Structures are given as C-alpha cells and as structure tokens.
Amino acid sequence: MSRIVMKFGGTSVANLDRIRAVAARVKREVVAGNQVAVVVSAMSGVTNQLVKWCQELSPLHDAREYDTVVATGEQVTSGLLAIALQEIGVEARSWQGWQIPLSTDDAHGRARIEGIEGAELIGRMARGQVPVVAGFQGIGPDRRVTTLGRGGSDTSAVALAAALKADRCDIYTDVDGVYTTDPRIVPRARKLQKIAYEEMLELASVGAKVLQTRSVELAMKAGVRVQVLSSFDDGSGLGSDLPGTMVVDEDEIVEQEIVSGIAYSRDEAKITVRHVPDRPGIAAAIFGPLSAAGINVDMIVQNISADGSTDMTFTIGRTDLPRAQLTLAAHQGEIGYAELLTDPDVAKISVVGVGMRSHTGVAATMFTSLAAKGINIQVISTSEIKVSVLIAADYTELAVRALHTAYGLDVV
Ligand code: ADP
Ligand code: ASP
Ligand code: MG
C-alpha cells in the first residue's frame, strides 16, 4: 500500500469526459489498495478568463478580490471530480483551501503556503475516502481566500504530499514528461527519464511551465518524490502507462549532459529608464520603490554614457507593467530620469544545465547560434547553471529551435 497524491492540470479536467477519465484513473489506484488524495486545477482556459475579467474591470484591481474571483475555477472541478468518483463507486469528498485549512501568508495573488492541517485528511484516507482538493488556493491570515500564483496547483500538490507524508506526488498533465524543451514548439524535443531538482528548479524559474517553480523548491526541500506524467489515454481507457519523468537528486543521474534543457518566457516586459544621473545610489533609487511595491525585477543592464548620465534597462513580469510605470512615475523626482521606455514584446530564452559548472563555452555557443539566425540580444544574465538572453518576442520559436539543435538535443 502506498499513499499517493495525484494532481491533474487544466487540460486533464477540461470537460466532463476528461473528468470521468480522471475518476477512472484515480479508481485504479484505489482498487490497487493505495490511499489517494487528488489535487485539481481549474478547467483549462477558465483561470485565464477569470483573470481577464478582473483586468478588464480594473488594471490595478484589488488583489484580495482577484483571489476571490480566480480561486473559483478549482472549486468547480473539485466538486465535479468528487461527483464523478462517487458515480463509479469511489467514496470521495471535495476540499477547498479554507476547509483543510491550507494556510498561506497574506501575499494575495502569489501567496506562499505556511502550513497544511493534514490529520483530518489522513484519517479519511485511512477509511478509504478520497479527498479531492481544490489546487491553487488557500486561506490567508486575514481569513480571506488566497491564490498561489499561476500554475500554483503543482505547489498545492507537492505541499499536500509533504503534509500527508505521501510516498509520491504524481503530476498528471497534457505531456508525458519533462522534455529538453517545450515539445509544443520543438517537435524534436527529447523526453527526459530523470531530471535533477536543481535543473528542474532553474528551468521552471525561467519559464518551463510544466511545473511551478515553488513546487520544485518545496519538493527539493521536503524530499517529495515528484513524477510528471500524462493523463491522456493510451487506449486502455485508464490513461497512459508510459513512464513519465522523475525529478531526482543530481547524483542519481548517471549521464549528465552539459545543457539539459532550454526554456522560454513571454511573460516579461522590458523597461528602460533613460538619462538617469550616473551616481552612487541610483540603482537603489530605482529598484527600492519597485521592491516596496512587490514588483520582482529580473534581468538588469546599466549603460554608461559620456555625459555623466546613464540608461538602466531591466525586465519585470509583464502583468506588473502598469504598476511599475506608476511606481516609477511617482518617484521621478528622486530618480531624476528623463524618459521611461517600455516594451512588452520581448521573450527570455534560457539554456540550463548543471554541466555548465564544469564546462566552458555554453554562452558562446548560444550567442553564435542566435547571431547566425540574425537575432539581436538585448539583455544577458547568467547564473551558475543557466544563461538567459532577452530577444524580440517574434523570434522566440526560431531561437529555441536553433539552440536546441546547437546543443545537440534534437531527437535523431
Ligand atoms: P497543466 O494544466 O497540466 O498544469 P501546464 O500547461 O501548466 O499543464 O504545463 C504543461 C505544459 O508545459 C505542456 O503542455 C508544455 O507545452 C509546457 N512545457 C514547457 N516546457 C516544457 C518542458 N520542458 N517539458 C514538458 N512540457 C513543457
Ligand atoms: N488554474 C490555475 C492557473 O491556471 C492553477 C493551475 O493550473 O495550476 O494558473
Ligand atoms: Mg500547470
């Protein structure tokens, strides 16, 4: 007997037929004698629609009310899946974040999980009941609904697996594992049998949406065994039996490539603050207020110009752009800039691999390959196991494909 957390993403619960298929899949684990808890996302497209409604009413909407709205998608699917399970003879009960409770901090819209009360669910699972937990949502210290940031159901699942001391956390999605890059834009992407926590963490943090970054962080910290696999049918009517990708410790991977994956993100926007005085404290004057406004800054470049003034270029999450513009405008006096330029049509392309620690030339290959395709690099940033560049969004697919080939990752 194992205790398993099974998480199903948006496409896996996209309609009633898919929900029935998920119920059958869950039943199979129950019949095999396992204790199962399920975490569900909203039906695919639903969260996007809910976010859009908030934005249409007010671009700077109240984050508490945003959470009230966007958390509803998961409430629907948790109830529907519980019904579908009951219908095929599996005892099941839905759980919203506040009912468990799954407690978070008060950072509405991107809350962090602070604790999960697991005893009640463990007791019910021991009696053969399947808890169906609404992913993505929790309850804050203000006793209002919170959400965990886009893609947050992955984090709900891993956190639940840790709280329930589950043997594994299976993340069912619309691809059958983690690939060398998004298989939707590179058909020759290769499925990885295993990927190291650190690489998965880095890939997720630079845009590989297959797992939310925090879910990987948490899995690494809590030692949760995470597996990514497909919920789609292999003809048996019970989903696929193909092995997925296991996220493992680095030393469990025998043949380590120098570059293990390539990711892209179109969720960023570029800001250039023009003609700021080139003096000590200028970076603090710009980035201090942004940080106080809760806006994350990612890549940064500062140009030196001859007349004692400089331009500062950086990237932020695209949805933060209106707030960043307002924040900087409110501090124009202290910063002393002449002009603010913004560009939402950018993409960040990153190559990731733990092999970079011991091999040189990864960045050079990246720059040469992009140059050969005529793609201009606007900003560069690096970490120990990653090189990222910012380019015009139109070139995203071309860049990812070119790099995938250049690092020898294509399936032959
Ligand atoms: P879910 O709704 O199941 O959470 P997501 O859309 O959040 O699904 O994540 C799965 C998607 O992640 C895939 O459809 C794929 O397009 C994308 N993806 C991006 N990078 C990768 C990668 N390296 N390997 C697999 N999938 C990836
Ligand atoms: N439904 C949420 C989203 O679309 C959470 C998730 O799918 O993980 O972001
Ligand atoms: Mg997801």
Side-chain angles (χ1 to χ4, degrees):
M1 196 267 314
S2 298
R3 187 178 291 162
I4 311 168
V5 170
M6 303 171 80
K7 180 258 168 175
F8 294 91
T11 39
S12 311
V13 293
N15 54 48
L16 296 186
D17 281 340
R18 299 287 312 139
I19 290 176
R20 284 191 196 98
V22 165
R25 179 88 203 188
V26 171
K27 182 174 183 175
R28 188 164 71 166
E29 296 292 358
V30 173
V31 168
N34 296 312
Q35 291 186 6
V36 181
V38 182
V39 174
V40 285
S41 296
M43 291 178 172
S44 64
V46 166
T47 311
N48 284 347
Q49 178 61 63
L50 297 168
V51 170
K52 204 160 147 249
W53 282 335
C54 295
Q55 278 165 348
E56 274 175 24
L57 279 177
S58 161
L60 296 171
H61 48 261
D62 183 313
R64 286 171 183 74
E65 301 313 334
Y66 165 94
D67 279 348
T68 301
V69 175
V70 300
T72 57
E74 275 71 11
Q75 174 158 349
V76 172
T77 46
S78 62
L80 289 174
L81 181 58
I83 293 173
L85 283 165
Q86 291 168 1
E87 193 61 19
I88 56 171
V90 177
E91 202 189 324
R93 184 60 65 213
S94 67
W95 292 84
Q96 307 310 298
W98 62 269
Q99 290 171 308
I100 297 175
L102 183 152
S103 312
T104 71
D105 65 11
D106 63 356
H108 283 274
R110 53 194 164 86
R112 272 186 180 273
I113 299 177
E114 292 193 329
I116 298 181
E117 198 53 69
E120 171 83 21
L121 298 191
I122 290 175
R124 287 174 182 246
M125 288 165 80
R127 297 199 298 274
Q129 196 178 85
V130 174
V132 184
V133 174
F136 184 50
Q137 47 161 276
I139 179 168
D142 54 1
R143 291 202 288 138
R144 302 202 65 90
V145 174
T146 52
T147 63
L148 309 177
R150 298 305 307 269
S153 307
D154 298 328
T155 305
S156 309
V158 172
L160 192 68
L164 301 178
K165 301 186 176 58
D167 300 291
R168 1 185 266 271
C169 181
D170 293 344
I171 307 277
Y172 287 89
T173 183
D174 55 1
V175 285
D176 58 357
V178 178
Y179 280 71
T180 45
T181 191
D182 188 345
R184 291 188 198 290
I185 71 164
V186 181
R188 293 166 82 183
R190 199 159 19 96
K191 185 165 114 185
L192 302 165
Q193 269 189 315
K194 294 177 179 176
I195 185 163
Y197 284 114
E198 270 190 66
E199 284 174 324
M200 191 63 243
L201 185 62
E202 197 82 46
L203 276 174
S205 75
V206 292
K209 293 199 170 129
V210 62
L211 288 175
Q212 199 200 30
T213 310
R214 279 183 190 166
S215 71
V216 188
E217 216 170 65
L218 201 62
M220 198 168 156
K221 215 162 69 189
V224 175
R225 291 179 67 80
V226 172
Q227 185 178 192
V228 176
L229 61 182
S230 170
S231 70
F232 280 74
D233 211 359
D234 60 5
S236 66
L238 292 169
S240 165
D241 270 326
L242 291 172
T245 301
M246 286 294 309
V247 188
V248 299
D249 284 324
E250 212 177 294
D251 52 20
E252 282 185 54
I253 299 178
V254 189
E255 277 178 56
Q256 191 68 60
E257 309 271 354
I258 299 172
V259 166
S260 51
I262 297 171
Y264 64 92
S265 165
R266 293 200 187 99
D267 298 337
E268 312 212 359
K270 185 177 73 166
I271 299 184
T272 300
V273 189
R274 299 230 36 220
H275 288 294
V276 289
D278 192 10
R279 59 165 169 80
I282 194 64
I286 295 173
F287 299 119
L290 290 174
S291 153
I295 297 166
N296 268 332
V297 173
D298 180 18
M299 311 169 94
I300 304 178
V301 274
Q302 180 182 342
N303 305 308
I304 302 294
S305 55
D307 60 358
S309 76
T310 179
D311 294 344
M312 192 80 87
T313 297
F314 54 91
T315 63
I316 56 167
R318 193 183 304 179
T319 51
D320 286 336
L321 191 54
R323 271 188 316 129
Q325 282 174 294
L326 274 183
T327 306
L328 291 170
H331 291 81
Q332 183 168 13
E334 299 107 270
I335 303 169
Y337 64 84
E339 194 186 2
L340 210 59
L341 302 177
T342 60
D343 182 1
D345 297 319
V346 289
K348 183 171 70 173
I349 315 292
S350 308
V351 300
V352 171
V354 290
M356 278 182 217
R357 290 199 198 111
S358 47
H359 288 79
T360 55
V362 173
T365 302
M366 185 175 200
F367 305 151
T368 313
S369 314
L370 295 176
K373 296 285 179 194
I375 300 171
N376 188 42
I377 298 173
Q378 304 179 11
V379 188
I380 301 169
S381 73
T382 62
S383 79
E384 201 189 12
I385 64 165
K386 172 205 80 184
V387 185
S388 300
V389 295
L390 197 73
I391 63 170
D394 284 349
Y395 294 108
T396 308
E397 298 185 6
L398 178 63
V400 174
R401 290 198 187 115
L403 294 172
H404 199 265
T405 305
Y407 291 108
L409 297 174
D410 290 351
V411 169
V412 279

